[in-house]
Amino acid sequence: MQSQRQHPPHFSCEFFPPKTEEGAQKLRAVYREFAVQMQPAFFSVTYGAGGSTQERSFDTVREIQAESGVETAPHLSCIGATKQSIRAILEAYRAQGIRRIVALRGDMPSGMRDTGDFRYANELVEFIRAETGDHFWIEVAAYPEFHPQALSAHTDLDAFCRKVEAGANSAITQYFYSIDAYLRFIDDCEKRGLSIPVVPGIMPILNYTQLARFSDACGAEIPRWLRKRLEAMGDDLTSIRAFGHDVVTGLCHELLRQGAPGLHFYTMNQLEPVQALWKAIAPTTDMEL
Ligand code: FAD
């Protein structure tokens, strides 16, 4: 893999919109800390399947950007949406001074039948460009271990290419623990002439049962050696966290050493796990190419 990095690596953090006032208070403390400690390139806020968190996502984005002074990017999924509804959301974000969007297809919520006006994320990217020109920096999702619904590795790469051709500026990956999957993905992108930054998504390891369930659903692989060791720790969350911290710190170091353009942390609205990772990798983050 050629190094993807042309500047010092940049870092970003992802949050979800809290459901309660208590959750909102907790998140406030978390983003304030990260804003100061990490000086991230941006924060991002997820969007519930089928627009189920639309209002909360909107409010959370507005609050974080205003309070932290860090650029904050809403995720926006299109499955089940109409062009009219997406147009209204884009206008609202534009009016609010939002300049970056994570554009996704999303997953159909159970019970919802009508896919709406968009079938795949490339159509959303195309629509955003047609409606708003270059106003937004558009991030899209990438899957180094392939999306669970992909017909083949080849068609999944085709789908990724279409998102880039439609106007995506950069990508954030699904999390992974096998660095080879990422390096091969970048090689494949280079062979297809794609040069946008593909930033690894980093998921801390905190609870094996939850991680295993989530990984099955989203198509992220927990390698056998890692799974077996985590399984052996049973319910001992302290050991799982300590071991998980070592594994993920190693992954971050290696990704940066190999030229990853940055890291995007899936924080799950928690301070400690990503803060600990950050402290472990920060001394190496001003590395030059
Ligand atoms: P797409 O890029 O459209 O791909 C979806 C599938 O369709 C793939 O299997 C692809 O190979 C296939 N495909 C694409 N085009 C075609 C075509 N023309 N013909 C046939 N097959 C095709 N979900 C949320 O609900 N809210 C979030 O906030 C959220 N944030 C995310 C952030 C990141 C960084 C990532 C990696 C994922 C996120 N997701 C989120 C999950 C995401 O919505 C799901 O993974 C979803 O199933 C796919 O979305 P996508 O944008 O990758 O879809």
Side-chain angles (χ1 to χ4, degrees), residues 43 45 57-58 60-66 70-75 89-102 132 134-137:
F43 288 137
V45 177
S57 296
F58 196 87
T60 307
V61 167
R62 186 169 40 203
E63 177 190 314
I64 296 180
Q65 177 147 297
V70 174
E71 178 177 18
T72 303
H75 294 206
I89 292 170
L90 294 174
E91 273 168 20
Y93 280 136
R94 196 140 70 144
Q96 214 180 291
I98 300 299
R99 300 300 304 252
R100 186 187 294 255
I101 276 190
V102 184
T132 63
D134 286 337
H135 177 82
F136 292 107
W137 178 277

Side-chain angles (χ1 to χ4, degrees), residues 236-288:
D236 180 357
L237 293 184
T238 308
S239 298
I240 290 177
R241 281 180 175 225
F243 174 66
H245 170 78
D246 281 353
V247 169
V248 179
T249 301
L251 178 71
C252 293
H253 271 135
E254 190 54 17
L255 284 164
L256 292 173
R257 203 184 64 77
Q258 296 264 4
L263 300 172
H264 179 79
F265 295 105
Y266 295 111
T267 68
M268 293 164 291
N269 292 10
Q270 295 188 42
L271 179 66
E272 292 77 13
V274 170
Q275 188 179 47
L277 284 174
W278 176 250
K279 283 188 177 156
I281 61 168
T284 57
T285 55
D286 56 354
M287 59 172 79
E288 295 293 335

Side-chain angles (χ1 to χ4, degrees), residues 11-276:
F11 301 92
S12 49
C13 292
E14 183 172 309
F15 306 115
F16 59 82
K19 283 194 181 126
T20 61
E21 186 43 41
E22 195 190 342
Q25 293 280 8
K26 193 179 152 206
L27 177 58
R28 239 159 251 145
V30 174
Y31 70 67
R32 282 179 182 150
E33 276 298 320
F34 285 139
V36 174
Q37 287 178 16
M38 198 184 283
Q39 298 181 345
F42 66 94
F43 288 137
S44 81
V45 177
T46 61
Y47 190 77
S52 56
T53 64
Q54 190 173 318
E55 220 153 279
R56 276 190 287 125
S57 296
F58 196 87
D59 292 344
T60 307
V61 167
R62 186 169 40 203
E63 177 190 314
I64 296 180
Q65 177 147 297
E67 288 279 317
S68 69
V70 174
E71 178 177 18
T72 303
H75 294 206
L76 178 60
S77 67
C78 60
I79 199 82
T82 60
K83 288 188 173 171
Q84 205 183 350
S85 66
I86 296 289
R87 186 177 291 122
I89 292 170
L90 294 174
E91 273 168 20
Y93 280 136
R94 196 140 70 144
Q96 214 180 291
I98 300 299
R99 300 300 304 252
R100 186 187 294 255
I101 276 190
V102 184
L104 302 148
R105 182 198 70 174
D107 295 306
M108 280 289 266
S110 54
M112 194 189 252
R113 296 215 173 274
D114 186 1
T115 55
D117 291 341
F118 302 89
R119 288 171 311 155
Y120 298 107
N122 64 298
E123 295 170 15
L124 176 62
V125 175
E126 208 173 292
F127 185 74
I128 297 173
R129 284 281 174 251
E131 291 285 315
T132 63
D134 286 337
H135 177 82
F136 292 107
W137 178 277
I138 303 180
E139 305 272 352
V140 290
Y143 300 86
E145 296 175 328
F146 307 109
H147 186 267
Q149 291 156 9
L151 296 177
S152 69
H154 193 77
T155 60
D156 210 30
L157 277 162
D158 290 345
F160 182 66
C161 284
R162 277 194 291 274
K163 294 195 275 195
V164 179
E165 282 155 12
N169 300 99
S170 52
I172 302 168
T173 75
Q174 184 57 276
Y175 66 88
F176 56 84
Y177 299 106
S178 155
I179 192 162
D180 286 347
Y182 173 76
L183 299 179
R184 290 232 169 243
F185 186 83
I186 300 300
D187 277 345
D188 285 342
C189 290
E190 279 163 7
K191 282 182 197 142
R192 286 166 180 246
L194 304 183
S195 56
I196 66 164
V198 179
V199 175
I202 303 296
M203 179 68 91
I205 298 174
L206 307 177
N207 176 320
Y208 173 65
T209 318
Q210 271 175 16
L211 185 71
R213 197 179 324 119
F214 193 51
S215 301
D216 282 347
C218 73
E221 185 94 351
I222 306 178
R224 181 181 162 84
W225 66 269
L226 178 54
R227 194 159 38 88
K228 288 283 178 199
R229 283 176 186 267
L230 290 167
E231 272 169 10
M233 292 175 197
D235 294 332
D236 180 357
L237 293 184
T238 308
S239 298
I240 290 177
R241 281 180 175 225
F243 174 66
H245 170 78
D246 281 353
V247 169
V248 179
T249 301
L251 178 71
C252 293
H253 271 135
E254 190 54 17
L255 284 164
L256 292 173
R257 203 184 64 77
Q258 296 264 4
L263 300 172
H264 179 79
F265 295 105
Y266 295 111
T267 68
M268 293 164 291
N269 292 10
Q270 295 188 42
L271 179 66
E272 292 77 13
V274 170
Q275 188 179 47

